[in-house]
Amino acid sequence: MTTDEITALIGDKNAALLSHTCETVTKDLLHLPSPDFIDKVLSQSNRSNQTLRSLASVYKHGRLSGTGYLSILPVDQGVEHSAGASFAPNPIYFDPENIIRLAIEGGCNAVASTIGGLAMLSRKYAHQIPFIVKLNHNELLTYPNKFDQVIFGSVREAWNMGAAAIGATIYFGSEESDRQIKEVSQLFEEAHSLGMATVLWCYLRNRVFKRADADYHVSADLTGQANYLGVTIQADIIKQKLPANNGGYKMLNSESMSYGKWDERMYTELTTANPIDLCRYQVLNCFMGRAGLINSGGASAGETDLKEAVLTAIINKRAGGTGLISGRKAFQRPFTEGIALLNAIQDVYLDEAITVA
């Protein structure tokens, strides 16, 4: 897509996103994606040469190769949301080979999926596209449903199949989060020791966070803190939902109880209500961009998916983020349309006219 086509797609209502100037924390203070990001930023860390090579294999693959940006296809919904519900719109994805094919033909940097799905095709594809093996899941079959992340496989097996990285989820804010933090910290330490990279799904989960007026699971202040916890346990890449509101700490401290710590300047100086500024607050909490922030593409809404995906990419890129990890919008549609959607996301990051705000 050209700049003009992107502008036409998002419409006049969203055109201001392309010209917004961020006046909170300016871009010169960030560690921005660039062709030499690994050399300038990650090589200063404790990551081993093997881990740096694994990261390079991800950053230097697909249509965004060598740009510093990432486009990743994640398909773990067969466990997380049930295979039937996830793949009914397009049953070919019951076969994990089609998941990998979509990532390859869609020009992605990597494919992220379950240990079983990627293991089944590892000898055929592990050398063709970087694998991100997702090691824990919410199995969603216990009755009544519970929300917890359980480990499904080992770091060693992910390494054996040739994976470039492992992925994991932590439900920050949940009763199980302490255990999950400990488990994932150990997984990440082992992965780094074997030379693999680490990707953390930094999600919030607590019924109290969802209110009648807003869902604070996507509040910039709470998701930002989740990101900070994620990079603290040495995630190389943070996956986070795009912020849709702010003030989670304020809401949780408004009912005669104390929760967390917050400072009014978080809302008056470090961010605004603008979507790009809200996302930039998430980037700040990724050690100012030293760990890349990739925002999730979200659920499929049908005809508006392409527009929503491109808008999310614009917000992430202009905020200083590292890319998009979009699954359902791509695989819950015909194969060729899924490729086109992934390519449209990538076109935003390839477009030099769309700059960091």
Side-chain angles (χ1 to χ4, degrees), residues 43 111 121 211 310 332:
S43 67
V111 58
L121 281 304
R211 298 302 175 96
V310 168
Q332 289 184 338

Side-chain angles (χ1 to χ4, degrees), residues 4-311:
D4 289 342
E5 289 171 332
I6 291 171
T7 303
L9 175 65
I10 65 174
D12 293 341
K13 182 180 178 181
N14 299 299
L17 291 173
L18 295 171
S19 58
H20 173 71
T21 299
C22 185
E23 297 179 347
T24 53
V25 177
T26 55
K27 66 180 181 181
D28 58 293
L29 296 176
L30 303 178
H31 302 279
L32 296 172
S34 65
D36 57 353
F37 181 78
I38 291 176
D39 294 333
K40 286 198 311 182
V41 178
L42 295 176
S43 67
Q44 300 175 15
S45 73
N46 67 338
R47 275 58 168 181
S48 68
N49 289 341
Q50 294 284 5
T51 297
L52 293 176
R53 185 170 68 174
S54 293
L55 283 162
S57 74
V58 175
Y59 275 94
K60 295 181 180 180
H61 191 86
R63 292 184 72 224
L64 298 184
S65 173
T67 64
Y69 290 107
L70 300 174
S71 168
I72 298 172
L73 177 72
V75 187
D76 60 349
Q77 289 87 351
V79 177
E80 297 277 346
H81 302 158
S82 91
S86 299
F87 302 140
N90 200 349
I92 68 168
Y93 291 107
F94 277 102
D95 185 343
E97 182 165 17
N98 290 315
I99 295 170
I100 301 170
R101 285 183 53 237
L102 179 61
I104 292 173
E105 297 183 37
C108 293
N109 296 75
V111 58
S113 194
T114 65
I115 189 167
L118 293 177
M120 190 64 72
L121 281 304
S122 62
R123 292 187 184 277
K124 184 174 182 178
Y125 288 107
H127 61 288
Q128 295 190 41
I129 185 171
F131 281 6
I132 301 172
V133 176
K134 185 74 164 27
L135 287 182
N136 67 357
H137 301 282
N138 177 35
E139 47 85 11
L140 207 65
L141 197 57
T142 302
Y143 185 87
N145 283 159
K146 63 179 180 179
F147 297 95
D148 190 10
Q149 289 289 322
V150 180
I151 296 174
F152 271 57
S154 70
V155 175
R156 177 65 63 170
E157 186 55 34
W159 180 80
N160 280 334
M161 75 171 71
I166 64 162
T169 298
I170 294 177
Y171 284 153
F172 291 105
S174 71
E175 292 182 358
E176 298 81 12
S177 63
D178 284 355
R179 191 203 80 244
Q180 292 170 11
I181 291 170
K182 293 176 184 177
E183 289 177 347
V184 174
S185 296
Q186 293 170 356
L187 294 176
F188 282 7
E189 181 180 353
E190 184 179 1
H192 280 152
S193 73
L194 291 172
M196 289 186 289
T198 57
V199 183
L200 186 63
W201 277 239
C202 253
Y203 287 169
L204 300 176
R205 179 75 70 176
N206 193 306
R207 61 180 180 81
V208 177
F209 293 172
K210 190 168 186 178
R211 298 302 175 96
D213 63 322
D215 185 355
Y216 292 98
H217 287 97
V218 287
S219 177
D221 54 354
L222 299 183
T223 56
Q225 181 61 20
N227 290 357
Y228 197 89
L229 295 176
V231 292
T232 298
I233 64 170
Q234 300 191 75
D236 299 314
I237 298 167
I238 295 292
K239 178 189 177 185
Q240 184 57 267
K241 296 179 181 180
L242 196 70
N245 53 58
N246 209 354
Y249 279 113
K250 289 185 175 183
M251 179 275 295
L252 291 164
N253 279 279
S254 64
E255 299 174 344
S256 67
M257 64 176 291
S258 176
Y259 174 79
K261 298 288 183 182
W262 59 280
D263 186 307
E264 185 62 30
R265 287 168 292 188
M266 292 162 54
Y267 310 104
T268 59
E269 297 180 16
L270 298 183
T271 191
T272 72
N274 186 280
I276 294 170
D277 295 345
L278 292 174
C279 187
R280 176 153 299 181
Y281 186 76
Q282 291 184 337
V283 175
L284 300 185
N285 281 279
C286 293
F287 291 168
M288 299 285 260
R290 288 185 183 272
L293 170 70
I294 53 175
N295 287 119
S296 57
S300 174
E303 294 182 359
T304 61
D305 281 353
L306 180 62
K307 178 179 178 180
E308 290 175 1
V310 168
L311 280 170

